[in-house]
Amino acid sequence: MTTSVRPPLPFDFLRPVPSFTVLSTDLVDGGELGEAQAYEGGNRSPQLSWSGFPAETRSFAVTCFDPDAPTGCGWWHWQLTDLPADVTELPAGAGSGEFPGLPAGAVHGRNDFGSNDFGGAAPPPGHGRHRYVFAVHALPVESLGLAADTPAALVGGTLGFLALARAVLVVEYETHPPQD
């Protein structure tokens, strides 16, 4: 990036909510995103598991957002809503390909690539390190009632308004320019 000032993380200016724990066998908070989760790599959603959410949780949503994308408004890589409250883990690939392990009734919202699945990291070559904010949102409703083609900003706003609690894991990734 051409400046040392980075955009805020997506939840910095939302109503504060309690946090809970999200872990991954594929990602480490503060670490590097693997090639398996890069768009030009495996383009495979990571394994995620969560615990410690409020007892009144009726469903979950999982999102991935890049606040460093050179768009002026970030980039939504993943929006998965209407996960039942008894689902506390997604296997690797649940948001990709044939959606293995994705629970019935879950809704993949449209990402900023224009598809309804996980879209991996794809920062412009030479643009610098981008942060990928994976979040699990605990919600007080069984379903958001939003269509799969609902704009990402509306899904994100709805999650910000409704969330009982949120678990966040942030990783970084950079695409290097081709070497001559």
Side-chain angles (χ1 to χ4, degrees):
M1 299 184 70
T2 58
T3 178
S4 62
V5 177
R6 294 176 101 175
L9 291 175
F11 310 114
D12 286 353
F13 299 107
L14 295 181
R15 156 182 81 78
V17 296
S19 63
F20 58 100
T21 301
V22 61
L23 299 171
S24 176
T25 58
D26 298 318
L27 309 173
V28 174
D29 191 39
E32 285 288 316
L33 185 91
E35 286 300 317
Q37 286 77 46
Y39 194 80
E40 294 297 328
N43 202 37
R44 183 177 181 189
S45 63
Q47 181 275 343
L48 297 171
S49 60
W50 50 93
S51 62
F53 46 86
E56 61 270 23
T57 300
R58 307 235 357 246
S59 71
F60 295 102
V62 174
T63 60
C64 178
F65 182 76
D66 172 3
D68 301 313
T71 63
C73 60
W75 192 269
W76 288 98
H77 286 263
W78 197 16
Q79 296 189 95
L80 179 60
T81 62
D82 298 353
L83 292 167
D86 62 350
V87 172
T88 59
E89 180 174 6
L90 291 174
S96 317
E98 299 296 317
F99 308 119
L102 190 65
V107 176
H108 263 115
R110 186 179 63 219
N111 61 35
D112 284 337
F113 292 105
S115 60
N116 294 74
D117 56 4
F118 171 79
H127 193 256
R129 298 176 65 73
H130 284 217
R131 294 166 292 168
Y132 295 85
V133 181
F134 288 85
V136 180
H137 311 261
L139 303 168
V141 295
E142 289 183 12
S143 173
L144 292 182
L146 299 174
D149 64 347
T150 300
L154 179 58
V155 174
T158 301
L159 295 173
F161 179 76
L162 287 177
L164 296 168
R166 186 177 300 112
V168 177
L169 189 151
V170 181
V171 293
E172 295 192 5
Y173 184 81
E174 180 175 5
T175 303
H176 296 282
Q179 300 295 321
D180 292 333

